Amino acid sequence: MSDRDRTRDSSDHPSGLDDPQETAARVQRRVAAVNATASRAVDESIDLTDAQYPASSLSNTHSVLRKLMGQTRQALSQTERAIAATDSEYGEPTPRQITDEHADRLRETYDGPVRNLALMLLAFNRRKWLYESPETRGAQEVERHGLTANQREWLNDLQDAWRASDVE
């Protein structure tokens, strides 16, 4: 994907939004890149069991898999943005929409470094619960609150400690 595609300004389109066909084409290119990287990862891993010294093959496979993970995250993010931009009546909210709704509340609830930690956990939860384990209790908690019950408890304890140290 070119830098132009990544940094495209929405003012290019007369309505102020990207053309839906153009957006769909960018998403399709992103998914095609993910598929190509996945294919390379499979090709790299085929020789692992037959290699006399698998360290270099394993290193190559690991490198391709890390690239695949990054590309997959970018493709998911771009797809969610495209869905949100083109159809607000999509049905169920996307994981990004869910976490975006909770982000403002978390910014108001927590202060200082605890706020940053809460927002990092929110982003982590989108990947961990909403993408990877959507049918679990943890995912239900993240949909409802943005954080799991344990995370909220820990953050509240940290917030209390932060405020207590700030008073002193």
Side-chain angles (χ1 to χ4, degrees), residues 97-167:
Q97 290 168 327
I98 290 168
T99 54
D100 285 351
E101 289 173 9
H102 293 297
D104 291 335
R105 184 183 46 76
L106 292 176
R107 283 186 190 96
E108 293 172 5
T109 303
Y110 299 106
D111 300 323
V114 181
R115 175 187 300 148
N116 295 334
L117 181 58
L119 294 173
M120 285 190 286
L121 281 170
L122 183 64
F124 170 81
N125 287 344
R126 183 174 68 228
R127 291 186 306 273
K128 168 91 171 133
W129 297 108
L130 301 179
Y131 289 148
E132 295 174 14
S133 307
E135 302 298 324
T136 61
R137 183 172 177 199
Q140 292 171 353
E141 289 182 15
V142 170
E143 285 180 21
R144 223 175 284 125
H145 306 286
L147 303 168
T148 65
N150 287 340
Q151 290 170 340
R152 290 192 310 273
E153 182 180 334
W154 297 330
L155 285 171
N156 289 335
D157 289 345
L158 278 172
Q159 184 67 43
D160 292 343
W162 171 257
R163 288 181 178 156
S165 72
D166 203 26
V167 170

Side-chain angles (χ1 to χ4, degrees), residues 2 25 34 65 114:
S2 71
V34 168
L65 287 172
V114 181

Side-chain angles (χ1 to χ4, degrees), residues 43-110:
D43 288 346
E44 286 289 336
S45 67
I46 287 174
D47 296 329
L48 283 177
T49 57
D50 296 332
Q52 186 174 5
Y53 301 103
S56 65
S57 294
L58 186 59
S59 177
N60 291 340
T61 301
H62 183 257
S63 175
V64 176
L65 287 172
R66 287 184 51 86
K67 182 177 180 181
L68 174 62
M69 184 175 69
Q71 285 182 336
T72 302
R73 285 182 179 161
Q74 289 174 348
L76 279 170
S77 181
Q78 189 175 29
T79 302
E80 287 183 321
R81 285 193 309 271
I83 289 169
T86 58
D87 188 5
S88 62
E89 301 296 321
Y90 172 65
E92 305 230 356
T94 64
R96 175 174 291 280
Q97 290 168 327
I98 290 168
T99 54
D100 285 351
E101 289 173 9
H102 293 297
D104 291 335
R105 184 183 46 76
L106 292 176
R107 283 186 190 96
E108 293 172 5
T109 303
Y110 299 106

